[in-house]
Amino acid sequence: MSAMLLNKEKWPEFIGKLAGKNLWAPQAEGDAMHFAQVKEGETPGLDFGNTRVPPKKFIFPQTETMYRFQLGGTNIEEPVIDDEVVVLGIRPCDARANKIIEKLFKWDVDDPYFLARQEKVTLIGLTCTEPGLNCFCPSVGGGPASTDGLDILITDLGENYYLEALTNKGEKLLGEAGDLMVEDKGDGAKAKEKLVAAAEKKINRTVDTKGIPEGLPGLWEDPLWKRVSASCLGCGTCTYLCPTCHCFDIQDEIEGFDARRCRMWDSCMFEEYTLHTSGHNPRPTRRERTRNRINHKYNYYVDKFDVIACVGCGRCINLCPVNIDIVEILRQVKEAL
């Protein structure tokens, strides 16, 4: 695949070529960045921290209609998922998260909704040259310039952007803007390498995950779960903002005779998540729910799919209202092994 250099003076023209493709990019909303559709004439920049909410909605919407039906009828109307989307400025950790949850949605039965949306999305990533305070992606298999899940990776070299096509989809998209760029002769690659090495040194938080997946079952009744969950409010922020969390509920919504079956994000940190019809709840307190959350990411998912279901983006640490820190929890797990 090719690597190209784009002078920043031509950035508005580059965006103009993408603008007709249902382009989404991070944009400021209050004091946070959120992915929003780029309107005609807008030129989003790439000088920003990561978004507050991960962009998993493009392949796994927060609420999604599975089909519509009429009460008393037997016909169902399935949604047509055919809108192409280009997502600009997604961070490598978030793109990698999509590939991690893909393993679940392609597991025993292919999920048609997830796979159809994934096919329609082109992901243009941005190398993290200024990692966040609580980022720890290298500890869980990623990195500031990880390419897993991306179609194109952009690295800010100062005067130029360095663009790498990583898939045929990415190659095709760059080809449409080829008149704006010049082929890199190697200097861009070297400059990127130095920036990535410097970015890796800026990541101060680390987790030694060796032995954690294998050791977690032996800590089932360990007192650490009560300790680390003591301050938890059960608000679910950690799961809703996690790019790899993928739990959902399915409900029927009815208005008159019109109805739809839909699914929406859910959280294993909610008490009713595992509440049985009988009234029994196998995870009655936040101790059990916190234990499940950590085991799911660092044991169950590893056992099933051979990958940790955490990309080290740090959102659950940054935005927990009571400062629960997953890195600290894992440190205590390591000590207890």
Side-chain angles (χ1 to χ4, degrees):
M1 296 289 177
S2 60
M4 309 293 285
L5 292 172
L6 174 70
N7 189 287
K8 286 186 176 178
E9 291 183 356
K10 296 186 176 179
W11 181 246
E13 291 180 69
F14 181 80
I15 293 298
K17 289 183 178 291
L18 300 178
K21 300 181 181 295
N22 193 12
L23 177 65
W24 291 68
Q27 298 182 50
E29 184 179 316
D31 61 349
M33 300 297 293
H34 294 272
F35 276 91
Q37 192 169 28
V38 178
K39 299 175 183 173
E40 186 176 353
E42 291 182 339
T43 303
L46 296 179
D47 184 17
F48 57 86
N50 204 359
T51 55
R52 177 174 291 177
V53 180
K56 63 181 176 182
K57 67 178 182 181
F58 294 105
I59 53 173
F60 179 41
Q62 187 166 358
T63 301
E64 181 172 35
T65 299
M66 304 174 75
Y67 56 83
R68 295 184 181 277
F69 58 98
Q70 289 282 313
L71 289 186
T74 57
N75 295 326
I76 61 172
E77 177 188 344
E78 297 183 48
V80 178
I81 302 172
D82 60 359
D83 290 337
E84 302 274 355
V85 181
V86 176
V87 180
L88 172 67
I90 184 173
R91 295 305 174 113
C93 56
D94 290 334
R96 184 166 175 264
N98 290 345
K99 296 299 291 183
I100 289 175
I101 62 174
E102 176 196 84
K103 295 177 181 298
L104 176 86
F105 287 106
K106 291 176 68 175
W107 177 34
D108 51 350
V109 176
D110 284 350
D111 184 291
Y113 311 99
F114 179 93
L115 296 179
R117 293 186 188 283
Q118 188 182 49
E119 179 65 26
K120 297 294 181 182
V121 173
T122 300
L123 298 179
I124 304 177
L126 176 65
T127 297
C128 283
T129 53
E130 294 294 335
L133 182 66
N134 286 309
C135 292
F136 59 100
C137 57
S139 296
V140 285
S146 170
T147 58
D148 199 15
L150 289 173
D151 296 296
I152 296 171
L153 178 62
I154 296 179
T155 304
D156 187 344
L157 301 183
E159 184 178 345
N160 298 308
Y161 288 123
Y162 177 73
L163 297 91
E164 299 170 85
L166 305 167
T167 64
N168 291 334
K169 208 181 327 185
E171 186 88 28
K172 180 183 176 185
L173 194 65
L174 283 193
E176 294 176 17
D179 58 320
L180 302 175
M181 299 178 286
V182 296
E183 188 174 352
D184 176 53
K185 302 298 184 184
D187 290 345
K190 291 178 183 174
K192 175 201 166 187
E193 190 176 335
K194 288 182 180 177
L195 283 170
V196 172
E200 289 172 343
K201 291 180 181 176
K202 295 175 185 175
I203 297 175
N204 296 316
R205 305 215 67 187
T206 60
V207 180
D208 177 11
T209 60
K210 187 178 181 180
I212 289 180
E214 301 83 359
L216 275 170
L219 301 178
W220 194 251
E221 297 297 341
D222 195 280
L224 81 87
W225 302 117
K226 184 174 183 179
R227 189 167 63 244
V228 300
S229 65
S231 61
C232 178
L233 303 176
C235 66
T237 294
C238 52
T239 52
Y240 276 103
L241 298 181
C242 174
T244 66
C245 278
H246 49 265
C247 290
F248 59 84
D249 190 17
I250 295 178
Q251 296 182 10
D252 287 349
E253 294 182 346
I254 301 169
E255 184 174 356
F257 286 93
D258 296 327
R260 71 165 182 164
R261 176 153 294 183
C262 53
R263 68 180 177 186
M264 57 282 293
W265 295 355
D266 203 349
S267 172
C268 62
M269 296 304 291
F270 293 160
E271 181 178 1
E272 60 268 30
Y273 180 81
T274 47
L275 181 63
H276 297 184
T277 304
S278 65
H280 170 66
N281 194 335
R283 298 179 202 148
T285 73
R286 288 186 282 275
R287 167 184 172 273
E288 290 83 15
R289 296 193 281 276
T290 300
R291 181 177 64 189
N292 172 74
R293 175 171 169 250
I294 300 299
N295 270 270
H296 180 81
K297 291 183 175 300
Y298 285 85
N299 174 261
Y300 309 151
Y301 215 86
V302 176
D303 185 52
K304 179 67 72 178
F305 301 117
D306 199 28
V307 63
I308 291 172
C310 171
V311 292
C313 69
R315 286 186 180 92
C316 62
I317 306 171
N318 296 336
L319 296 162
C320 175
V322 291
N323 299 318
I324 291 177
D325 185 332
I326 194 170
V327 173
E328 175 60 19
I329 292 175
L330 293 168
R331 186 190 65 76
Q332 294 192 37
V333 168
K334 285 285 289 188
E335 287 182 356
L337 291 177

